[in-house]
Amino acid sequence: MVRQPLTAEQIAAGQRLGAALRAARADRSLVEVALAAGISPETLRKIEAGRLPAPAFGTVVCLSQALDVPLSDLADVWLADMAIRQAS
């Protein structure tokens, strides 16, 4: 199975998700949050920087729990711009 390249819209959604996770982390250390989510600090760093714009669903679920952010809030961040374009 060959994975299709991400669209510009998906990359932008990943960047929004990374920014939201970084904001939710606030003053907690990146290492602390990554370990609480069961991922490597480097993976979290890439997600927050937008260099990993489409993290696995399980990773997002674990980050949601570690940061005490409802998964639906993170989904809203991901879908924000997409919903506007679909409504147009």
Coordinates of all heavy atoms in Angstrom, one line a residue:
M1 N 0.8 -1.2 0.0 CA 0.0 0.0 0.0 C 0.9 1.2 0.0 O 1.8 1.4 0.8 CB -0.9 0.0 1.2 CG -1.9 1.1 1.3 SD -3.1 0.8 2.6 CE -2.8 2.2 3.6
V2 N 0.6 2.1 -0.9 CA 1.4 3.4 -1.0 C 0.6 4.5 -0.4 O -0.6 4.7 -0.7 CB 1.7 3.7 -2.5 CG1 2.4 5.0 -2.6 CG2 2.5 2.6 -3.1
R3 N 1.2 5.2 0.5 CA 0.5 6.4 1.1 C 0.6 7.6 0.2 O 1.6 7.9 -0.3 CB 1.2 6.7 2.4 CG 0.6 7.8 3.2 CD 1.2 7.9 4.5 NE 0.5 9.0 5.2 CZ 0.8 9.4 6.5 NH1 1.7 8.8 7.1 NH2 0.1 10.4 7.0
Q4 N -0.6 8.2 0.0 CA -0.7 9.4 -0.8 C 0.0 10.5 -0.1 O -0.1 10.7 1.1 CB -2.2 9.7 -1.1 CG -2.9 8.6 -1.8 CD -2.4 8.5 -3.2 OE1 -2.1 9.5 -3.9 NE2 -2.2 7.3 -3.7
P5 N 0.6 11.4 -0.8 CA 1.2 12.6 -0.2 C 0.1 13.5 0.4 O -1.0 13.5 -0.1 CB 1.8 13.4 -1.4 CG 1.9 12.4 -2.5 CD 0.8 11.4 -2.3
L6 N 0.5 14.2 1.5 CA -0.5 15.0 2.1 C -0.7 16.3 1.3 O 0.1 16.8 0.6 CB 0.1 15.5 3.5 CG 0.3 14.4 4.5 CD1 1.0 15.0 5.8 CD2 -1.0 13.7 4.9
T7 N -2.0 16.7 1.3 CA -2.3 17.9 0.6 C -1.9 19.1 1.4 O -1.6 19.0 2.6 CB -3.9 18.0 0.4 OG1 -4.5 18.2 1.7 CG2 -4.4 16.8 -0.3
A8 N -1.8 20.3 0.8 CA -1.5 21.5 1.5 C -2.5 21.8 2.6 O -2.0 22.3 3.7 CB -1.5 22.7 0.5
E9 N -3.7 21.4 2.4 CA -4.7 21.6 3.5 C -4.4 20.7 4.7 O -4.6 21.1 5.8 CB -6.1 21.3 2.9 CG -7.3 21.7 3.7 CD -8.6 21.5 2.9 OE1 -8.9 20.3 2.6 OE2 -9.2 22.5 2.7
Q10 N -4.0 19.5 4.4 CA -3.7 18.6 5.5 C -2.4 19.0 6.3 O -2.4 18.9 7.5 CB -3.5 17.1 5.0 CG -4.8 16.5 4.5 CD -4.6 15.3 3.7 OE1 -3.6 15.1 2.9 NE2 -5.5 14.3 3.9
I11 N -1.5 19.5 5.5 CA -0.3 20.0 6.2 C -0.6 21.2 7.1 O -0.1 21.3 8.2 CB 0.8 20.4 5.1 CG1 1.3 19.1 4.4 CG2 2.0 21.2 5.7 CD1 2.2 19.3 3.2
A12 N -1.4 22.1 6.6 CA -1.9 23.3 7.4 C -2.6 22.8 8.6 O -2.4 23.4 9.7 CB -2.7 24.2 6.6
A13 N -3.5 21.8 8.5 CA -4.2 21.2 9.6 C -3.2 20.7 10.7 O -3.4 20.9 11.9 CB -5.2 20.2 9.2
G14 N -2.2 20.0 10.2 CA -1.2 19.5 11.1 C -0.4 20.6 11.8 O -0.1 20.4 13.0
Q15 N -0.2 21.7 11.1 CA 0.5 22.8 11.8 C -0.4 23.4 12.9 O 0.1 23.8 13.9 CB 0.9 23.8 10.7 CG 2.0 23.3 9.8 CD 2.3 24.2 8.6 OE1 1.4 24.9 8.2 NE2 3.5 24.0 8.0
R16 N -1.7 23.5 12.6 CA -2.6 24.0 13.6 C -2.7 23.1 14.8 O -2.7 23.6 15.9 CB -4.0 24.2 13.0 CG -4.2 25.3 12.0 CD -5.7 25.6 11.7 NE -6.4 24.4 11.3 CZ -6.4 24.0 10.0 NH1 -5.8 24.7 9.1 NH2 -7.1 23.0 9.6
L17 N -2.7 21.8 14.5 CA -2.7 20.8 15.6 C -1.5 20.9 16.5 O -1.5 21.0 17.7 CB -2.8 19.4 15.0 CG -2.8 18.3 16.1 CD1 -4.0 18.4 17.0 CD2 -2.8 16.9 15.4
G18 N -0.3 21.1 15.8 CA 0.9 21.2 16.6 C 0.9 22.5 17.4 O 1.4 22.4 18.6
A19 N 0.5 23.6 16.9 CA 0.4 24.8 17.7 C -0.6 24.7 18.8 O -0.3 25.2 19.9 CB 0.0 26.0 16.8
A20 N -1.7 24.0 18.6 CA -2.6 23.8 19.7 C -2.0 22.9 20.8 O -2.2 23.2 22.0 CB -3.9 23.2 19.2
L21 N -1.3 21.9 20.4 CA -0.7 21.0 21.4 C 0.4 21.8 22.2 O 0.5 21.6 23.4 CB -0.1 19.8 20.8 CG -1.1 18.8 20.2 CD1 -0.5 17.7 19.3 CD2 -1.9 18.2 21.3
R22 N 1.2 22.6 21.5 CA 2.2 23.4 22.1 C 1.6 24.3 23.1 O 2.1 24.5 24.3 CB 3.0 24.1 21.1 CG 4.3 24.8 21.6 CD 5.2 25.4 20.5 NE 4.5 26.1 19.5 CZ 4.3 25.6 18.2 NH1 4.7 24.4 17.9 NH2 3.6 26.3 17.3
A23 N 0.5 25.0 22.8 CA -0.2 25.9 23.7 C -0.8 25.2 24.9 O -0.7 25.7 26.0 CB -1.3 26.6 22.9
A24 N -1.3 24.0 24.7 CA -1.9 23.2 25.8 C -0.8 22.7 26.7 O -1.1 22.6 27.9 CB -2.7 22.0 25.2
R25 N 0.4 22.5 26.2 CA 1.5 22.0 27.0 C 1.9 23.2 28.0 O 2.3 22.9 29.1 CB 2.6 21.6 26.2 CG 3.8 21.0 26.9 CD 4.8 20.3 26.0 NE 5.4 21.1 25.0 CZ 6.4 22.0 25.1 NH1 6.9 22.1 26.3 NH2 6.8 22.6 24.1
A26 N 1.8 24.4 27.5 CA 2.1 25.6 28.3 C 3.5 25.5 29.0 O 4.4 25.4 28.2 CB 1.0 25.9 29.3
D27 N 3.5 25.5 30.3 CA 4.8 25.5 31.0 C 5.3 24.1 31.3 O 6.3 24.0 32.0 CB 4.7 26.4 32.2 CG 3.7 25.9 33.2 OD1 2.9 25.0 32.9 OD2 3.7 26.5 34.3
R28 N 4.6 23.1 30.9 CA 5.0 21.7 31.2 C 6.2 21.4 30.2 O 6.1 21.8 29.1 CB 3.9 20.7 31.0 CG 2.8 20.8 32.1 CD 1.7 19.8 31.9 NE 2.1 18.5 31.9 CZ 1.3 17.4 31.6 NH1 0.1 17.7 31.3 NH2 1.7 16.2 31.7
S29 N 7.1 20.6 30.6 CA 8.2 20.3 29.8 C 7.8 19.4 28.6 O 6.9 18.5 28.8 CB 9.4 19.7 30.5 OG 9.2 18.3 30.7
L30 N 8.5 19.5 27.5 CA 8.2 18.6 26.4 C 8.4 17.2 26.8 O 7.7 16.3 26.4 CB 9.1 19.1 25.2 CG 8.8 18.4 23.9 CD1 8.8 19.4 22.8 CD2 9.9 17.3 23.6
V31 N 9.5 16.9 27.5 CA 9.9 15.6 27.9 C 8.8 15.0 28.8 O 8.4 13.8 28.6 CB 11.3 15.5 28.6 CG1 11.5 14.1 29.1 CG2 12.3 15.9 27.6
E32 N 8.3 15.8 29.7 CA 7.3 15.3 30.7 C 6.0 14.9 29.9 O 5.5 13.8 30.2 CB 7.0 16.4 31.7 CG 5.8 16.2 32.6 CD 5.4 17.4 33.4 OE1 6.1 18.4 33.4 OE2 4.3 17.3 34.0
V33 N 5.6 15.7 29.0 CA 4.3 15.4 28.3 C 4.5 14.3 27.3 O 3.7 13.4 27.3 CB 3.9 16.7 27.5 CG1 2.7 16.4 26.6 CG2 3.5 17.8 28.5
A34 N 5.7 14.2 26.7 CA 5.9 13.1 25.7 C 5.9 11.8 26.5 O 5.3 10.8 26.1 CB 7.2 13.3 25.0
L35 N 6.6 11.7 27.6 CA 6.6 10.5 28.4 C 5.3 10.1 28.9 O 4.9 8.9 28.9 CB 7.7 10.6 29.5 CG 9.1 10.7 29.0 CD1 10.1 10.9 30.2 CD2 9.5 9.6 28.1
A36 N 4.5 11.1 29.3 CA 3.1 10.8 29.8 C 2.2 10.3 28.7 O 1.3 9.5 29.0 CB 2.5 12.1 30.4
A37 N 2.5 10.7 27.5 CA 1.7 10.2 26.3 C 2.3 8.9 25.7 O 1.7 8.4 24.8 CB 1.7 11.3 25.3
G38 N 3.5 8.5 26.2 CA 4.0 7.3 25.7 C 4.7 7.4 24.4 O 4.8 6.5 23.6
I39 N 5.2 8.6 24.0 CA 5.9 8.9 22.8 C 7.2 9.5 23.1 O 7.5 9.9 24.2 CB 5.1 9.8 21.8 CG1 4.9 11.2 22.4 CG2 3.7 9.2 21.5 CD1 4.2 12.2 21.5
S40 N 8.1 9.5 22.1 CA 9.4 10.1 22.3 C 9.3 11.6 22.3 O 8.4 12.2 21.6 CB 10.4 9.6 21.2 OG 10.1 10.3 20.0
P41 N 10.2 12.3 23.1 CA 10.2 13.7 23.0 C 10.4 14.3 21.6 O 9.9 15.3 21.2 CB 11.4 14.1 23.9 CG 11.5 12.9 24.9 CD 11.1 11.7 24.1
E42 N 11.3 13.6 20.8 CA 11.5 14.0 19.4 C 10.2 13.9 18.6 O 10.0 14.8 17.8 CB 12.6 13.1 18.8 CG 13.0 13.6 17.4 CD 13.5 15.1 17.3 OE1 14.0 15.6 18.3 OE2 13.4 15.6 16.2
T43 N 9.4 12.9 18.8 CA 8.1 12.9 18.1 C 7.2 14.0 18.4 O 6.7 14.7 17.6 CB 7.4 11.5 18.4 OG1 8.2 10.5 17.9 CG2 6.0 11.5 17.7
L44 N 7.1 14.4 19.7 CA 6.3 15.5 20.2 C 6.9 16.8 19.6 O 6.2 17.7 19.1 CB 6.2 15.6 21.7 CG 5.4 16.7 22.2 CD1 4.0 16.8 21.6 CD2 5.3 16.7 23.8
R45 N 8.2 16.9 19.6 CA 8.9 18.1 19.0 C 8.5 18.3 17.6 O 8.1 19.4 17.1 CB 10.4 18.0 19.2 CG 11.2 19.2 18.8 CD 12.7 19.1 19.1 NE 12.9 19.1 20.5 CZ 13.3 18.0 21.2 NH1 13.5 16.9 20.6 NH2 13.5 18.1 22.5
K46 N 8.5 17.2 16.8 CA 8.2 17.2 15.4 C 6.7 17.6 15.2 O 6.4 18.4 14.3 CB 8.5 15.9 14.7 CG 9.9 15.7 14.5 CD 10.2 14.3 13.9 CE 11.6 14.0 13.7 NZ 11.9 12.7 13.1
I47 N 5.8 17.0 16.0 CA 4.4 17.3 15.9 C 4.2 18.8 16.2 O 3.5 19.5 15.4 CB 3.5 16.5 16.8 CG1 3.6 15.0 16.4 CG2 2.1 16.9 16.9 CD1 3.0 14.0 17.4
E48 N 4.7 19.3 17.3 CA 4.5 20.7 17.6 C 5.1 21.7 16.6 O 4.5 22.7 16.4 CB 5.2 21.0 19.0 CG 4.4 20.4 20.2 CD 5.0 20.8 21.5 OE1 6.0 21.5 21.6 OE2 4.3 20.5 22.5
A49 N 6.2 21.3 16.0 CA 6.8 22.1 14.9 C 6.1 22.0 13.6 O 6.4 22.8 12.7 CB 8.3 21.8 14.8
G50 N 5.2 21.1 13.4 CA 4.5 20.9 12.2 C 5.3 20.1 11.2 O 4.9 20.0 10.0
R51 N 6.4 19.5 11.6 CA 7.2 18.6 10.8 C 6.6 17.2 10.7 O 7.1 16.5 9.8 CB 8.7 18.6 11.2 CG 9.3 19.9 11.1 CD 10.9 19.9 11.3 NE 11.4 18.7 11.9 CZ 11.9 18.6 13.1 NH1 11.8 19.7 13.9 NH2 12.4 17.5 13.5
L52 N 5.7 16.9 11.5 CA 5.0 15.6 11.5 C 3.5 16.0 11.5 O 2.8 15.9 12.5 CB 5.3 14.7 12.7 CG 4.7 13.4 12.8 CD1 5.1 12.5 11.5 CD2 5.2 12.7 14.0
P53 N 3.0 16.4 10.3 CA 1.7 17.0 10.3 C 0.5 16.0 10.4 O -0.6 16.4 10.6 CB 1.6 17.7 8.9 CG 2.6 17.0 8.1 CD 3.7 16.5 9.0
A54 N 0.8 14.7 10.3 CA -0.3 13.8 10.3 C 0.1 12.6 11.3 O 0.3 11.5 10.9 CB -0.6 13.2 9.0
P55 N 0.1 13.0 12.6 CA 0.5 11.9 13.6 C -0.6 10.8 13.6 O -1.7 11.1 13.3 CB 0.6 12.7 14.9 CG -0.2 13.9 14.7 CD -0.2 14.2 13.3
A56 N -0.2 9.7 14.1 CA -1.1 8.6 14.2 C -2.3 8.9 15.2 O -2.1 9.7 16.1 CB -0.4 7.3 14.7
F57 N -3.4 8.4 14.9 CA -4.6 8.6 15.7 C -4.3 8.3 17.2 O -4.6 9.1 18.1 CB -5.8 7.8 15.2 CG -7.0 8.0 16.1 CD1 -7.7 9.2 16.0 CD2 -7.5 7.0 16.9 CE1 -8.8 9.5 16.8 CE2 -8.6 7.2 17.7 CZ -9.3 8.4 17.6
G58 N -3.7 7.2 17.4 CA -3.4 6.8 18.8 C -2.5 7.8 19.5 O -2.6 8.0 20.7
T59 N -1.5 8.3 18.8 CA -0.6 9.4 19.3 C -1.4 10.6 19.7 O -1.2 11.1 20.8 CB 0.4 9.7 18.3 OG1 1.2 8.6 18.0 CG2 1.3 10.8 18.8
V60 N -2.4 11.0 18.9 CA -3.2 12.2 19.2 C -4.1 11.9 20.5 O -4.2 12.7 21.3 CB -4.0 12.6 18.0 CG1 -4.9 13.8 18.4 CG2 -3.1 13.0 16.9
V61 N -4.6 10.7 20.5 CA -5.4 10.3 21.7 C -4.6 10.3 23.0 O -5.0 10.9 24.0 CB -6.0 8.9 21.5 CG1 -6.7 8.3 22.8 CG2 -7.0 8.9 20.4
C62 N -3.4 9.8 22.9 CA -2.5 9.8 24.1 C -2.1 11.2 24.5 O -2.1 11.5 25.7 CB -1.3 8.9 23.9 SG -1.8 7.1 23.8
L63 N -1.8 12.1 23.5 CA -1.5 13.4 23.8 C -2.7 14.2 24.4 O -2.6 15.0 25.4 CB -1.0 14.2 22.6 CG 0.4 13.8 22.1 CD1 0.7 14.3 20.8 CD2 1.4 14.3 23.2
S64 N -3.9 13.9 23.9 CA -5.1 14.5 24.4 C -5.3 14.1 25.9 O -5.6 15.0 26.7 CB -6.3 13.9 23.6 OG -7.5 14.2 24.3
Q65 N -5.0 12.9 26.3 CA -5.1 12.5 27.7 C -4.0 13.1 28.5 O -4.3 13.6 29.6 CB -5.1 11.0 27.8 CG -6.4 10.3 27.2 CD -6.3 8.8 27.3 OE1 -5.3 8.2 27.3 NE2 -7.5 8.2 27.4
A66 N -2.8 13.1 28.0 CA -1.7 13.6 28.8 C -1.8 15.1 29.1 O -1.4 15.6 30.1 CB -0.4 13.3 28.0
L67 N -2.4 15.8 28.1 CA -2.6 17.3 28.3 C -4.0 17.6 28.8 O -4.2 18.8 29.0 CB -2.4 17.9 26.9 CG -1.0 17.8 26.3 CD1 -1.0 18.2 24.9 CD2 -0.1 18.7 27.2
D68 N -4.8 16.6 29.1 CA -6.2 16.9 29.6 C -7.0 17.8 28.6 O -7.6 18.8 29.1 CB -6.2 17.4 31.0 CG -7.5 17.2 31.7 OD1 -8.3 16.3 31.3 OD2 -7.8 18.1 32.6
V69 N -6.8 17.6 27.3 CA -7.5 18.3 26.3 C -8.5 17.4 25.6 O -8.1 16.3 25.2 CB -6.6 18.9 25.3 CG1 -7.3 19.6 24.1 CG2 -5.6 19.8 25.9
P70 N -9.8 17.7 25.6 CA -10.7 16.8 25.0 C -10.3 16.5 23.5 O -9.9 17.4 22.8 CB -12.1 17.5 25.0 CG -11.9 18.5 26.2 CD -10.5 18.9 26.2
L71 N -10.4 15.2 23.1 CA -10.1 14.8 21.8 C -10.9 15.6 20.8 O -10.4 16.0 19.7 CB -10.3 13.3 21.6 CG -9.8 12.7 20.3 CD1 -8.3 13.0 20.1 CD2 -10.0 11.2 20.3
S72 N -12.2 15.9 21.1 CA -13.0 16.7 20.2 C -12.5 18.1 19.9 O -12.6 18.6 18.8 CB -14.5 16.7 20.7 OG -14.5 17.4 22.0
D73 N -11.8 18.7 20.9 CA -11.2 20.0 20.8 C -10.1 19.9 19.7 O -9.9 20.8 18.9 CB -10.7 20.5 22.1 CG -11.8 21.0 23.0 OD1 -13.0 20.8 22.7 OD2 -11.4 21.4 24.1
L74 N -9.3 18.8 19.8 CA -8.2 18.7 18.9 C -8.7 18.4 17.5 O -8.2 18.9 16.5 CB -7.2 17.6 19.3 CG -6.5 17.8 20.6 CD1 -5.6 16.6 21.0 CD2 -5.7 19.1 20.6
A75 N -9.8 17.6 17.4 CA -10.4 17.4 16.1 C -11.0 18.7 15.5 O -10.8 18.9 14.3 CB -11.6 16.4 16.2
D76 N -11.5 19.6 16.3 CA -12.0 20.9 15.9 C -10.9 21.7 15.3 O -11.0 22.4 14.3 CB -12.7 21.6 17.0 CG -14.1 21.0 17.3 OD1 -14.6 20.2 16.6 OD2 -14.6 21.4 18.4
V77 N -9.7 21.7 16.0 CA -8.5 22.4 15.5 C -8.1 21.9 14.1 O -7.9 22.6 13.2 CB -7.3 22.3 16.5 CG1 -6.0 22.8 15.9 CG2 -7.6 23.0 17.7
W78 N -8.1 20.5 14.0 CA -7.7 19.9 12.7 C -8.6 20.3 11.6 O -8.2 20.6 10.5 CB -7.6 18.4 12.9 CG -7.3 17.7 11.6 CD1 -8.2 17.3 10.6 CD2 -6.0 17.3 11.1 NE1 -7.5 16.6 9.6 CE2 -6.2 16.7 9.9 CE3 -4.7 17.5 11.7 CZ2 -5.1 16.2 9.2 CZ3 -3.7 17.0 10.9 CH2 -3.8 16.3 9.7
L79 N -9.9 20.3 11.9 CA -11.0 20.5 10.9 C -11.3 22.0 10.6 O -12.0 22.3 9.7 CB -12.2 19.8 11.2 CG -12.2 18.3 11.3 CD1 -13.4 17.7 11.9 CD2 -11.9 17.7 9.9
A80 N -10.8 22.9 11.4 CA -11.2 24.3 11.4 C -11.2 24.9 10.0 O -12.3 25.4 9.5 CB -10.3 25.1 12.3
D81 N -10.1 24.9 9.3 CA -10.1 25.6 8.0 C -10.8 24.7 6.9 O -11.3 25.2 6.0 CB -8.6 25.8 7.6 CG -8.5 26.7 6.3 OD1 -9.3 27.6 6.2 OD2 -7.6 26.4 5.5
M82 N -10.8 23.4 7.1 CA -11.4 22.5 6.1 C -12.9 22.7 6.1 O -13.5 22.8 5.1 CB -11.1 21.1 6.5 CG -9.6 20.7 6.2 SD -9.4 19.0 6.6 CE -7.6 19.0 6.8
A83 N -13.5 23.0 7.3 CA -14.9 23.2 7.4 C -15.3 24.5 6.7 O -16.4 24.5 6.0 CB -15.4 23.2 8.8
I84 N -14.5 25.5 6.8 CA -14.8 26.8 6.1 C -14.8 26.6 4.6 O -15.7 27.1 3.9 CB -13.8 27.8 6.6 CG1 -14.0 28.2 8.0 CG2 -13.9 29.1 5.7 CD1 -12.8 29.0 8.6
R85 N -13.8 25.9 4.1 CA -13.7 25.7 2.6 C -14.9 24.8 2.1 O -15.4 25.1 1.0 CB -12.4 25.0 2.3 CG -11.2 26.0 2.5 CD -10.0 25.4 2.0 NE -8.9 26.3 2.3 CZ -7.6 26.0 2.0 NH1 -7.3 25.0 1.3 NH2 -6.7 26.9 2.3
Q86 N -15.3 23.8 2.9 CA -16.4 23.0 2.4 C -17.7 23.7 2.5 O -18.6 23.5 1.6 CB -16.5 21.7 3.3 CG -15.3 20.8 3.1 CD -15.4 19.6 4.1 OE1 -16.2 19.5 4.9 NE2 -14.4 18.7 3.9
A87 N -17.9 24.7 3.4 CA -19.1 25.4 3.5 C -19.2 26.5 2.3 O -20.3 26.9 2.0 CB -19.2 26.2 4.8
S88 N -18.1 26.8 1.7 CA -18.1 27.8 0.7 C -18.6 27.3 -0.6 O -18.5 26.2 -1.0 CB -16.7 28.3 0.4 OG -16.1 28.8 1.5

